[in-house]
Structure formats: C-alpha cells, structure tokens
Amino acid sequence: MKVLSVLRVGFLALATLIGAVTMASAADGSIRIRIVKAGFVVGGSGGDGVLTFQGRQYPLAVGGVSYGFTFGASETWFHGKVRNIRKASDVAGVYAQGGAGAALGKGAQVVVLTNQNGAVLELSGEQKGLIVSLDLSGLALSLK
C-alpha cells in the first residue's frame, strides 16, 4: 500500500514538472496585419501581414468570411501581440468572432482572439472606409 502512495506522489510530481516545462516554453511575438473587408449580407475579407517571433519575420496570409448584416467596405491595419505560441506555425488557424460595428471614415478597433492552437492575438488598429456590420465572422491566418 505504501509503494502505491509513493508511486502516486512521484507520478503527480512528474506530471506537475512536465506541465511547468510546457508552460514555460510558450513565448510571445508581435504581429502586423492588414485586412480588407467588403460585403452585402455575406462578407469576405482578405489581407496579409507579418509575424515577428524569436528574431525572425514570417509572412502571413489572411482570409475570412462573415455572415449576418454587413454592408460596405473597409481596410483595417492591426498591430499587437501574439501570446502563448511555441513555434511560428501555432499562429496559423481560425479565429472566430461575433460582433457589431460601424465605421465612416476612420475608426479604432481593439480585439482579442484565440485559435485552436491556443494562440492569443491582442490587436489594436485603425479602420478606414464605410461599413456597418452585425455578424459572425471567422478570420483565418496562415504562414505563406
């Protein structure tokens, strides 16, 4: 019985250590992306960007689709942080968002998004154009 208790404690200590090492290996990077969005009911978006991670720059492709009430067109330049990534490819994936907004001329945007890899984007930027939206949208990032 005592052997089982010692094994259980040892196993829990090992699991804790592995978890701590895994958490410690996650890093942050910075990101700049440009998104062009247009639509009438169904909207589409595309763009490009750059991820800076561990001293290297990685070009990004941006795509997406939205459904709901969308009317108009806009261009948004985002910049910010990417958190909780271990390698550059962790930023690739789909980031879902629901929201409402409007821009006439210039407008500010702030957003926090998470993908299936656990990458967290903390972005702020400026939107230009004429667009009104109340929609569900998905933003897809991929490395070029």
Side-chain angles (χ1 to χ4, degrees):
M1 197 59 126
K2 201 166 206 174
V3 172
L4 288 176
S5 291
V6 170
L7 286 175
R8 185 179 306 142
V9 169
F11 183 72
L12 288 173
L14 181 62
T16 302
L17 179 63
I18 290 171
V21 168
T22 302
M23 293 287 285
S25 66
D28 296 343
S30 63
I31 191 167
R32 289 177 290 131
I33 57 176
R34 177 183 67 95
I35 300 172
V36 177
K37 182 177 181 179
F40 182 74
V41 181
V42 175
S45 61
D48 53 25
V50 174
L51 167 68
T52 303
F53 181 64
Q54 296 180 336
R56 294 188 57 201
Q57 292 191 333
Y58 300 87
L60 300 171
V62 180
V65 69
S66 63
Y67 182 76
F69 176 75
T70 301
F71 177 76
S74 69
E75 179 179 36
T76 306
W77 288 88
F78 283 112
H79 61 279
K81 294 282 184 195
V82 179
R83 301 205 186 277
N84 198 37
I85 59 175
R86 290 166 185 74
K87 56 189 182 290
S89 60
D90 286 346
V91 78
V94 176
Y95 299 81
Q97 173 186 4
L104 173 61
K106 291 184 179 181
Q109 296 280 319
V110 177
V111 66
V112 176
L113 303 168
T114 303
N115 74 2
Q116 73 278 4
N117 299 322
V120 178
L121 301 181
E122 298 172 354
L123 304 172
S124 62
E126 185 177 274
Q127 184 177 21
K128 296 178 183 177
L130 170 61
I131 193 162
V132 177
S133 65
L134 175 60
D135 59 14
L136 296 172
S137 58
L139 173 69
L141 290 180
S142 59
L143 295 175
K144 286 185 181 179

